[in-house]
Amino acid sequence: MEVIKGKKAHVLAVPFPAQGHVKPLMKLSRQIAKRGIKVTFVNIESIHEKIVASAKMAGEEEEEDNIILTSIPDGRNPEDDPNDTFKLLESLRITMPGLLTGLIERINSSNDQEKISCVIADISIGWVLETAREVGAEPVVFSPPSAAALAVIFQIPKLLEEGNLDSYGTVKNGEVISLSENIPAWRKNELSWSFPSNLKTQKIFFECSQRIEKTTNQYTWLLSNTCYELEPSACNLIPNLLPIGPLLENQNPNSSFNSCNFHPQDTSCLSWLNSKPAGSVIYVSFGSLAVFSQQQLDELAFGLELSGRAFLWVVRPDLANGNGSRAVFPEGYLDRVGEVGKIVEWALQEKVLSHSSIACFLSHCGWNSTTEGLSRGVPFLCWPYFSDQHHNQNYICDKWEIGLRIDPDENGIRTRHEIKEKIDGVFFDSKLKKNALKLKEMCEKSVGEGGSSYKNFEKFIDHLRK
Ligand code: UDP
């Protein structure tokens, strides 16, 4: 492979098209750009449009020094279902290499001194690495989830060979997958590709994970949104892993960079939090993908009310039922909770988690939410929905001991009484907060000057500059 050298470094960052992937890659890109290296950040058009629209509404800058936002078509037909992620992935696999090659050629011919020297692609779209090589750029991957989630993917061939998994990726009855005694084991249906309610879907997730495993020899660097101290055993299992996280948003209140939100942020939550006493508010958010039945939504609404505590609850317009119909609250609910409960469609999550009035985070345990919460010393109430969220919950509750599970009943419903009981539990158990503050300190050290993630990042920057 011939890598372009001797000119100014220029990175092309290519995220997987989902909120939990675009945001952390943008945080990484911003850190690279801050070190004087130009980054072109390329989304598919539909996502680029959402991000630009949300940024405009929030008064954020569309572009800042050294970062260019651009887009490529997603290659789908107009009649395709816009919510069919698998179809989208299939069409990206076919069309993305050609579109990216075209984009890189245009960039390279427009400025001879700023040719694309490195492509950082999300690990879920490994086919981009081949394109990088073909245009003479260095192929680098970025892995947004935990090192443990990646470590288990890298073990798939062995697990299949030894008969621990069937061809759908299901763990044999009664067995658990354990990679080390220091990493919580994965029980049946806790693997990131598990989708027990629809085995056909699970098979597709499993095949995607197998494709990730096959990219191992195609990149020169593997950057991961974790830090060594948080999960040393998992990091040790992955050769050449470079933990550079947890990646956090710049907390400077004067900065107005584009933070890559798919939904417009409701800034009123911050002034509302200002009116609440320290350590009094439950922050409730389930990320960008989780969907709820009306019955479950009602139970959560009543559980929060029963707790008698203040809460800030993110209810995305598509949270209910998953069919785009807006959430309906129990009759008279909004009047009853009044000033005690604030409901928004999308929050400035990292600013919220940094606010002194936040007591705990009722979360679906996506890895971004997990690392954003623990970096702020906030204890968790765990309500995983799918994918790696179950294992992140095990880290939170069993390994780090910074949170409590909200358990479903025999019908799969988390009842209002269970919700209230666990809320009380997290407020009364001072050990959870104490552990959370220790973890916060540990992560701060790792990303702070001289820390392990800091040094890893510097190593990567030095390499880009060579
Ligand atoms: N997020 C946000 N505002 C919200 C809810 C979520 O900015 O109201 C951000 C959150 O900070 C995180 C991302 O959306 O960076 C969600 O990623 P995560 O991995 O937690 O969950 P996913 O959406 O992938 O399920």
Side-chain angles (χ1 to χ4, degrees):
M1 180 192 57
E2 192 206 338
V3 174
I4 296 163
K5 294 280 176 199
K7 309 232 166 119
K8 254 175 114 179
H10 184 174
V11 170
L12 188 82
V14 194
F16 177 86
Q19 182 73 88
H21 292 247
V22 174
K23 258 180 176 276
L25 186 55
M26 178 47 95
K27 291 180 207 170
L28 172 61
S29 299
R30 191 161 289 115
Q31 284 196 18
I32 295 171
K34 253 173 67 187
R35 309 304 307 276
I37 294 171
K38 186 169 173 181
V39 182
T40 296
F41 195 90
V42 52
N43 277 299
I44 57 170
E45 268 162 12
S46 52
I47 288 190
H48 179 80
E49 281 159 18
K50 279 187 200 173
I51 287 172
V52 170
S54 302
K56 260 198 192 119
M57 285 180 77
E60 292 179 336
E61 314 263 334
E62 263 183 46
E63 290 171 13
E64 59 180 320
D65 279 356
N66 282 334
I67 295 200
I68 309 284
L69 296 188
T70 189
S71 63
I72 52 170
D74 58 24
R76 277 186 298 195
N77 298 316
E79 64 275 13
D80 289 345
D81 174 1
N83 298 318
D84 188 338
T85 311
F86 295 132
K87 190 116 200 209
L88 170 64
L89 267 186
E90 216 25 61
S91 103
L92 287 179
R93 214 143 63 93
I94 297 163
T95 59
M96 219 180 198
L99 291 165
L100 283 179
T101 304
L103 174 69
I104 294 169
E105 283 170 358
R106 279 196 301 282
I107 294 172
N108 289 353
S109 60
S110 69
N111 185 344
D112 191 42
Q113 295 307 306
E114 287 189 345
K115 290 187 174 180
I116 299 293
S117 54
C118 167
V119 174
I120 306 183
D122 189 289
I123 197 157
S124 306
I125 48 171
W127 59 82
V128 174
L129 301 168
E130 180 71 33
T131 308
R133 281 175 188 277
E134 281 169 13
V135 296
E138 177 159 30
V140 171
V141 280
F142 170 63
S143 175
S146 69
L150 195 56
V152 80
I153 285 176
F154 285 169
Q155 292 292 320
I156 290 175
K158 189 165 168 252
L159 295 169
L160 282 172
E161 201 181 296
E162 292 177 358
N164 305 101
L165 296 178
D166 68 18
S167 62
Y168 281 78
T170 305
V171 182
K172 275 196 181 159
N173 259 338
E175 284 191 16
V176 294
I177 303 289
S178 173
L179 300 187
S180 148
E181 60 182 36
N182 294 317
I183 306 171
W186 287 260
R187 286 182 290 264
K188 198 174 177 204
N189 303 332
E190 286 186 345
L191 289 153
S192 53
W193 53 82
S194 301
F195 210 84
S197 60
N198 185 338
L199 276 183
K200 216 172 120 201
T201 303
Q202 173 167 317
K203 177 92 175 155
I204 302 175
F205 280 136
F206 187 49
E207 285 166 359
C208 292
S209 302
Q210 288 177 292
R211 264 202 294 277
I212 290 177
E213 190 275 318
K214 291 202 169 66
T215 58
T216 332
N217 296 321
Q218 296 180 23
Y219 44 78
T220 51
W221 296 71
L222 168 53
L223 312 176
S224 164
N225 186 16
T226 190
C227 68
Y228 183 80
E229 295 77 3
L230 205 49
E231 31 173 6
S233 301
C235 290
N236 288 340
L237 286 173
I238 305 172
N240 304 323
L241 186 82
L242 202 72
I244 48 150
L247 291 162
L248 298 179
E249 249 170 29
N250 178 351
Q251 290 293 296
N252 178 353
N254 300 321
S255 68
S256 64
F257 51 73
N258 187 322
S259 44
C260 282
N261 289 288
F262 291 11
H263 303 275
Q265 303 172 85
D266 189 331
T267 49
S268 69
C269 53
L270 293 179
S271 46
W272 182 84
L273 287 175
N274 287 341
S275 71
K276 301 292 170 216
S280 67
V281 178
I282 311 159
Y283 173 55
V284 187
S285 167
F286 298 93
S288 59
L289 299 168
V291 282
F292 279 67
S293 66
Q294 189 59 49
Q295 184 191 1
Q296 186 58 90
L297 201 84
D298 289 349
E299 285 304 309
L300 175 53
F302 286 129
L304 290 170
E305 187 180 8
L306 261 180
S307 79
R309 298 179 191 276
F311 61 88
L312 169 61
W313 183 9
V314 178
V315 181
R316 297 187 329 267
D318 57 353
L319 182 73
N321 298 321
N323 60 6
S325 58
R326 289 195 170 235
V328 180
F329 296 99
E331 213 185 319
Y333 183 75
L334 295 178
D335 291 335
R336 282 204 310 279
V337 293
E339 258 304 288
V340 176
K342 169 95 175 155
I343 294 170
V344 295
E345 291 193 352
W346 195 250
L348 298 92
Q349 177 156 305
E350 291 195 57
K351 289 205 168 71
V352 166
L353 288 167
S354 300
H355 200 282
S356 59
S357 68
I358 294 298
C360 63
F361 184 7
L362 197 169
S363 169
H364 72 309
C365 309
W367 185 248
N368 292 294
S369 294
T370 301
T371 50
E372 289 161 6
L374 65 84
S375 297
R376 272 67 183 217
V378 177
F380 282 79
L381 285 160
C382 301
W383 185 320
Y385 170 66
F386 81 141
S387 188
D388 58 339
Q389 296 155 16
H390 296 285
H391 192 256
N392 298 339
Q393 165 180 257
N394 296 343
Y395 256 149
I396 290 171
C397 299
D398 307 334
K399 178 77 191 150
W400 304 323
E401 299 182 68
I402 58 168
L404 300 177
R405 291 179 170 81
I406 299 184
D407 291 313
D409 67 8
E410 60 283 3
N411 300 314
I413 293 290
R414 282 148 171 115
T415 65
R416 64 192 77 179
H417 303 292
E418 165 73 6
I419 295 164
K420 180 205 177 311
E421 196 178 302
K422 294 296 167 65
I423 290 175
D424 287 345
V426 89
F427 271 84
F428 291 131
D429 189 346
S430 58
K431 190 181 89 234
L432 298 173
K433 180 71 185 173
K434 230 165 96 186
N435 291 343
L437 288 173
K438 274 194 211 148
L439 229 55
K440 171 184 184 226
E441 201 181 313
M442 197 181 82
C443 290
E444 274 171 358
K445 264 197 191 145
S446 187
V447 294
E449 206 168 331
S452 66
S453 282
Y454 178 92
K455 284 199 219 150
N456 286 341
F457 180 68
E458 289 302 302
K459 202 161 111 185
F460 180 59
I461 292 291
D462 285 349
H463 172 78
L464 284 181
R465 286 201 179 120
K466 273 183 195 147

PDB file of all heavy atoms in Angstrom, residues 158-166 169-173 175-177 191:
ATOM      1  N   LYS A 158     -14.089 -18.812  17.356  1.00  0.00           N
ATOM      2  CA  LYS A 158     -13.767 -19.797  18.383  1.00  0.00           C
ATOM      3  C   LYS A 158     -15.054 -20.311  19.053  1.00  0.00           C
ATOM      4  O   LYS A 158     -15.211 -21.515  19.292  1.00  0.00           O
ATOM      5  CB  LYS A 158     -12.851 -19.129  19.419  1.00  0.00           C
ATOM      6  CG  LYS A 158     -12.261 -20.060  20.409  1.00  0.00           C
ATOM      7  CD  LYS A 158     -11.089 -19.386  21.148  1.00  0.00           C
ATOM      8  CE  LYS A 158     -10.693 -20.240  22.338  1.00  0.00           C
ATOM      9  NZ  LYS A 158     -11.058 -19.665  23.609  1.00  0.00           N
ATOM     10  N   LEU A 159     -15.963 -19.390  19.317  1.00  0.00           N
ATOM     11  CA  LEU A 159     -17.207 -19.791  19.992  1.00  0.00           C
ATOM     12  C   LEU A 159     -18.036 -20.718  19.103  1.00  0.00           C
ATOM     13  O   LEU A 159     -18.682 -21.656  19.582  1.00  0.00           O
ATOM     14  CB  LEU A 159     -18.034 -18.545  20.379  1.00  0.00           C
ATOM     15  CG  LEU A 159     -17.384 -17.630  21.434  1.00  0.00           C
ATOM     16  CD1 LEU A 159     -18.139 -16.302  21.547  1.00  0.00           C
ATOM     17  CD2 LEU A 159     -17.352 -18.322  22.799  1.00  0.00           C
ATOM     18  N   LEU A 160     -17.986 -20.464  17.795  1.00  0.00           N
ATOM     19  CA  LEU A 160     -18.706 -21.339  16.857  1.00  0.00           C
ATOM     20  C   LEU A 160     -18.017 -22.703  16.791  1.00  0.00           C
ATOM     21  O   LEU A 160     -18.664 -23.748  16.859  1.00  0.00           O
ATOM     22  CB  LEU A 160     -18.731 -20.712  15.460  1.00  0.00           C
ATOM     23  CG  LEU A 160     -19.751 -19.582  15.232  1.00  0.00           C
ATOM     24  CD1 LEU A 160     -19.519 -18.922  13.875  1.00  0.00           C
ATOM     25  CD2 LEU A 160     -21.192 -20.089  15.320  1.00  0.00           C
ATOM     26  N   GLU A 161     -16.705 -22.640  16.697  1.00  0.00           N
ATOM     27  CA  GLU A 161     -15.931 -23.872  16.583  1.00  0.00           C
ATOM     28  C   GLU A 161     -16.145 -24.772  17.801  1.00  0.00           C
ATOM     29  O   GLU A 161     -16.284 -25.991  17.682  1.00  0.00           O
ATOM     30  CB  GLU A 161     -14.463 -23.484  16.470  1.00  0.00           C
ATOM     31  CG  GLU A 161     -13.572 -24.535  15.857  1.00  0.00           C
ATOM     32  CD  GLU A 161     -12.144 -24.002  15.843  1.00  0.00           C
ATOM     33  OE1 GLU A 161     -11.905 -22.993  15.143  1.00  0.00           O
ATOM     34  OE2 GLU A 161     -11.308 -24.580  16.553  1.00  0.00           O
ATOM     35  N   GLU A 162     -16.177 -24.141  18.976  1.00  0.00           N
ATOM     36  CA  GLU A 162     -16.306 -24.939  20.201  1.00  0.00           C
ATOM     37  C   GLU A 162     -17.758 -25.261  20.536  1.00  0.00           C
ATOM     38  O   GLU A 162     -18.057 -25.845  21.583  1.00  0.00           O
ATOM     39  CB  GLU A 162     -15.620 -24.213  21.357  1.00  0.00           C
ATOM     40  CG  GLU A 162     -14.105 -24.177  21.136  1.00  0.00           C
ATOM     41  CD  GLU A 162     -13.329 -23.414  22.196  1.00  0.00           C
ATOM     42  OE1 GLU A 162     -13.966 -22.853  23.118  1.00  0.00           O
ATOM     43  OE2 GLU A 162     -12.100 -23.393  22.088  1.00  0.00           O
ATOM     44  N   GLY A 163     -18.655 -24.798  19.675  1.00  0.00           N
ATOM     45  CA  GLY A 163     -20.063 -25.148  19.835  1.00  0.00           C
ATOM     46  C   GLY A 163     -20.790 -24.373  20.927  1.00  0.00           C
ATOM     47  O   GLY A 163     -21.867 -24.773  21.368  1.00  0.00           O
ATOM     48  N   ASN A 164     -20.240 -23.214  21.354  1.00  0.00           N
ATOM     49  CA  ASN A 164     -20.943 -22.400  22.359  1.00  0.00           C
ATOM     50  C   ASN A 164     -22.089 -21.602  21.741  1.00  0.00           C
ATOM     51  O   ASN A 164     -23.040 -21.224  22.417  1.00  0.00           O
ATOM     52  CB  ASN A 164     -19.985 -21.411  23.032  1.00  0.00           C
ATOM     53  CG  ASN A 164     -18.777 -22.082  23.632  1.00  0.00           C
ATOM     54  OD1 ASN A 164     -17.710 -22.057  23.045  1.00  0.00           O
ATOM     55  ND2 ASN A 164     -18.969 -22.722  24.767  1.00  0.00           N
ATOM     56  N   LEU A 165     -21.952 -21.345  20.429  1.00  0.00           N
ATOM     57  CA  LEU A 165     -22.995 -20.585  19.719  1.00  0.00           C
ATOM     58  C   LEU A 165     -23.526 -21.437  18.577  1.00  0.00           C
ATOM     59  O   LEU A 165     -22.766 -22.187  17.957  1.00  0.00           O
ATOM     60  CB  LEU A 165     -22.412 -19.316  19.090  1.00  0.00           C
ATOM     61  CG  LEU A 165     -21.831 -18.229  19.986  1.00  0.00           C
ATOM     62  CD1 LEU A 165     -21.276 -17.106  19.117  1.00  0.00           C
ATOM     63  CD2 LEU A 165     -22.920 -17.660  20.905  1.00  0.00           C
ATOM     64  N   ASP A 166     -24.835 -21.274  18.273  1.00  0.00           N
ATOM     65  CA  ASP A 166     -25.343 -21.924  17.058  1.00  0.00           C
ATOM     66  C   ASP A 166     -25.189 -20.961  15.880  1.00  0.00           C
ATOM     67  O   ASP A 166     -24.664 -19.846  16.034  1.00  0.00           O
ATOM     68  CB  ASP A 166     -26.780 -22.429  17.262  1.00  0.00           C
ATOM     69  CG  ASP A 166     -27.789 -21.299  17.422  1.00  0.00           C
ATOM     70  OD1 ASP A 166     -27.467 -20.145  17.046  1.00  0.00           O
ATOM     71  OD2 ASP A 166     -28.897 -21.562  17.912  1.00  0.00           O
ATOM     72  N   GLY A 169     -26.101 -17.442  16.271  1.00  0.00           N
ATOM     73  CA  GLY A 169     -25.406 -16.666  17.306  1.00  0.00           C
ATOM     74  C   GLY A 169     -26.048 -16.806  18.675  1.00  0.00           C
ATOM     75  O   GLY A 169     -25.769 -16.018  19.573  1.00  0.00           O
ATOM     76  N   THR A 170     -26.930 -17.806  18.853  1.00  0.00           N
ATOM     77  CA  THR A 170     -27.590 -17.992  20.147  1.00  0.00           C
ATOM     78  C   THR A 170     -26.706 -18.852  21.058  1.00  0.00           C
ATOM     79  O   THR A 170     -26.162 -19.869  20.624  1.00  0.00           O
ATOM     80  CB  THR A 170     -28.952 -18.711  19.957  1.00  0.00           C
ATOM     81  OG1 THR A 170     -29.712 -17.943  19.025  1.00  0.00           O
ATOM     82  CG2 THR A 170     -29.717 -18.814  21.273  1.00  0.00           C
ATOM     83  N   VAL A 171     -26.597 -18.413  22.313  1.00  0.00           N
ATOM     84  CA  VAL A 171     -25.827 -19.188  23.292  1.00  0.00           C
ATOM     85  C   VAL A 171     -26.627 -20.427  23.646  1.00  0.00           C
ATOM     86  O   VAL A 171     -27.843 -20.352  23.840  1.00  0.00           O
ATOM     87  CB  VAL A 171     -25.603 -18.356  24.581  1.00  0.00           C
ATOM     88  CG1 VAL A 171     -24.761 -19.144  25.584  1.00  0.00           C
ATOM     89  CG2 VAL A 171     -24.929 -17.037  24.258  1.00  0.00           C
ATOM     90  N   LYS A 172     -25.916 -21.551  23.702  1.00  0.00           N
ATOM     91  CA  LYS A 172     -26.603 -22.807  24.037  1.00  0.00           C
ATOM     92  C   LYS A 172     -27.288 -22.700  25.386  1.00  0.00           C
ATOM     93  O   LYS A 172     -26.746 -22.069  26.302  1.00  0.00           O
ATOM     94  CB  LYS A 172     -25.586 -23.933  24.076  1.00  0.00           C
ATOM     95  CG  LYS A 172     -25.324 -24.522  22.733  1.00  0.00           C
ATOM     96  CD  LYS A 172     -24.635 -25.839  22.939  1.00  0.00           C
ATOM     97  CE  LYS A 172     -24.294 -26.498  21.638  1.00  0.00           C
ATOM     98  NZ  LYS A 172     -23.228 -27.468  21.835  1.00  0.00           N
ATOM     99  N   ASN A 173     -28.432 -23.349  25.510  1.00  0.00           N
ATOM    100  CA  ASN A 173     -29.205 -23.303  26.760  1.00  0.00           C
ATOM    101  C   ASN A 173     -28.355 -23.600  27.984  1.00  0.00           C
ATOM    102  O   ASN A 173     -27.575 -24.547  27.996  1.00  0.00           O
ATOM    103  CB  ASN A 173     -30.327 -24.343  26.694  1.00  0.00           C
ATOM    104  CG  ASN A 173     -31.624 -23.642  26.355  1.00  0.00           C
ATOM    105  OD1 ASN A 173     -31.735 -22.434  26.578  1.00  0.00           O
ATOM    106  ND2 ASN A 173     -32.573 -24.381  25.821  1.00  0.00           N
ATOM    107  N   GLU A 175     -25.833 -22.205  29.109  1.00  0.00           N
ATOM    108  CA  GLU A 175     -24.423 -21.804  29.087  1.00  0.00           C
ATOM    109  C   GLU A 175     -24.278 -20.295  29.180  1.00  0.00           C
ATOM    110  O   GLU A 175     -25.209 -19.547  28.903  1.00  0.00           O
ATOM    111  CB  GLU A 175     -23.768 -22.266  27.779  1.00  0.00           C
ATOM    112  CG  GLU A 175     -23.469 -23.746  27.783  1.00  0.00           C
ATOM    113  CD  GLU A 175     -22.583 -24.148  26.616  1.00  0.00           C
ATOM    114  OE1 GLU A 175     -21.968 -23.284  25.986  1.00  0.00           O
ATOM    115  OE2 GLU A 175     -22.522 -25.362  26.359  1.00  0.00           O
ATOM    116  N   VAL A 176     -23.106 -19.855  29.572  1.00  0.00           N
ATOM    117  CA  VAL A 176     -22.795 -18.428  29.503  1.00  0.00           C
ATOM    118  C   VAL A 176     -21.493 -18.284  28.733  1.00  0.00           C
ATOM    119  O   VAL A 176     -20.711 -19.226  28.649  1.00  0.00           O
ATOM    120  CB  VAL A 176     -22.638 -17.775  30.910  1.00  0.00           C
ATOM    121  CG1 VAL A 176     -23.921 -17.774  31.681  1.00  0.00           C
ATOM    122  CG2 VAL A 176     -21.515 -18.427  31.694  1.00  0.00           C
ATOM    123  N   ILE A 177     -21.294 -17.102  28.166  1.00  0.00           N
ATOM    124  CA  ILE A 177     -20.028 -16.836  27.479  1.00  0.00           C
ATOM    125  C   ILE A 177     -19.161 -16.025  28.439  1.00  0.00           C
ATOM    126  O   ILE A 177     -19.543 -14.912  28.835  1.00  0.00           O
ATOM    127  CB  ILE A 177     -20.260 -16.007  26.187  1.00  0.00           C
ATOM    128  CG1 ILE A 177     -21.236 -16.704  25.239  1.00  0.00           C
ATOM    129  CG2 ILE A 177     -18.941 -15.670  25.511  1.00  0.00           C
ATOM    130  CD1 ILE A 177     -20.727 -17.923  24.555  1.00  0.00           C
ATOM    131  N   LEU A 191     -25.901 -11.045  24.196  1.00  0.00           N
ATOM    132  CA  LEU A 191     -24.852 -10.696  23.235  1.00  0.00           C
ATOM    133  C   LEU A 191     -25.358  -9.558  22.355  1.00  0.00           C
ATOM    134  O   LEU A 191     -26.571  -9.385  22.186  1.00  0.00           O
ATOM    135  CB  LEU A 191     -24.500 -11.930  22.401  1.00  0.00           C
ATOM    136  CG  LEU A 191     -23.743 -12.975  23.242  1.00  0.00           C
ATOM    137  CD1 LEU A 191     -23.951 -14.367  22.703  1.00  0.00           C
ATOM    138  CD2 LEU A 191     -22.256 -12.627  23.321  1.00  0.00           C
TER     139      LEU A 191
END
